[in-house]
Amino acid sequence: MNGYVKKHPIRTAALSPFIQVDRILAQTFVAAVESLPTIPSTNDWAKQRAAEPSCRLPLLVVAQEQTAGRGRGANRWWSAAGSLTFSLAWEPERSGIDLGQSPLVSLAVAVAVADATAALASGRAVGIHWPNDVMAQGRKLAGILVEVLANRRYVLGIGLNLNNTLAGAPPEVQGRAVTLRDLTGVAYDPTDVLVELLQRVEQRILQLAAAPADLVARANALCLQRDRTLRLRWGDELISGRCAGIAPDGSLLLDTPHGRRAFASGVLC
Ligand code: BTN
């Protein structure tokens, strides 16, 4: 990624062997990897590391199992054996991206994950739901949690339903989620998938810095909500409107009875 010179890549002790760390270091922009067997949340772990000024970036934290995965807002992220959960700590300013662009960073990651999973699923239809859910067959395939630290570093957390089965999932997850393996019947090599995802995240972040309109055009092409009537909780208001796609700054565009409005935040319900 622009601004990063990868010298002396770091493997961390206490490695979990389920990922081939050397391949990640050789084939992606990541400079340091912490691959761990079981931790509460890769985002929490990466945030702790990235708070240290000496932390080597971009840092990938990947867990074979998460016991307290977090989603956006107060949501939890359910993960089970076979799911892929990881976080990337990174300094956007080194890539020419400023803090005001964080909705677009989140969109860039969603586009990368949607395109990567579509490629892995032999072109099966994968799209996005604003702000950054990755969907297939009307169900959630991957979730993304972007967090900004006080020192202006970002942690990009990605949870992908990969080889896991939904059999043991809570009922509310079973009805709303899908795994890549469910879609294709294929058992995936998690390192192959991580390499694909990280390479595409890097490409989309570079595109955001160089040609943000192209990134937003791709996000609009992947947006599955266009022309659908959506209801958005925005502060104390509940707003209903027909989705007109995603604005150049990453906001959601809704055609409401009072005209077109752009929402930088809000929860769809
Ligand atoms: C969402 O859909 O609300 C976002 C879910 C993000 C889940 C991932 S799993 C890896 C990383 N660690 C976490 O605790 N959360 C993110």
Side-chain angles (χ1 to χ4, degrees), residues 37 72 80 88 159 164 178 205 217 248:
R72 289 193 305 276
L88 193 63
N164 46 321
V178 67
I205 293 289

Side-chain angles (χ1 to χ4, degrees), residues 27-106:
Q27 296 177 10
T28 76
F29 65 100
V30 163
V33 178
E34 301 196 18
S35 171
L36 301 144
T38 305
I39 55 173
S41 154
T42 57
N43 261 41
D44 290 346
W45 189 284
K47 280 169 74 176
Q48 224 173 348
R49 285 282 191 264
E52 298 161 14
S54 61
C55 176
R56 190 71 180 281
L57 301 174
L59 165 71
L60 174 73
V61 176
V62 54
Q64 190 162 10
E65 192 191 359
Q66 274 192 149
T67 52
R70 292 187 293 109
R72 289 193 305 276
N75 295 341
R76 297 184 56 180
W77 181 257
W78 170 83
S79 14
S83 60
L84 187 59
T85 51
F86 64 97
S87 301
L88 193 63
W90 157 74
E91 219 156 35
E93 282 159 346
R94 287 217 207 178
S95 305
I97 291 163
D98 63 54
L99 277 188
Q101 288 178 299
S102 64
L104 289 174
V105 170
S106 163

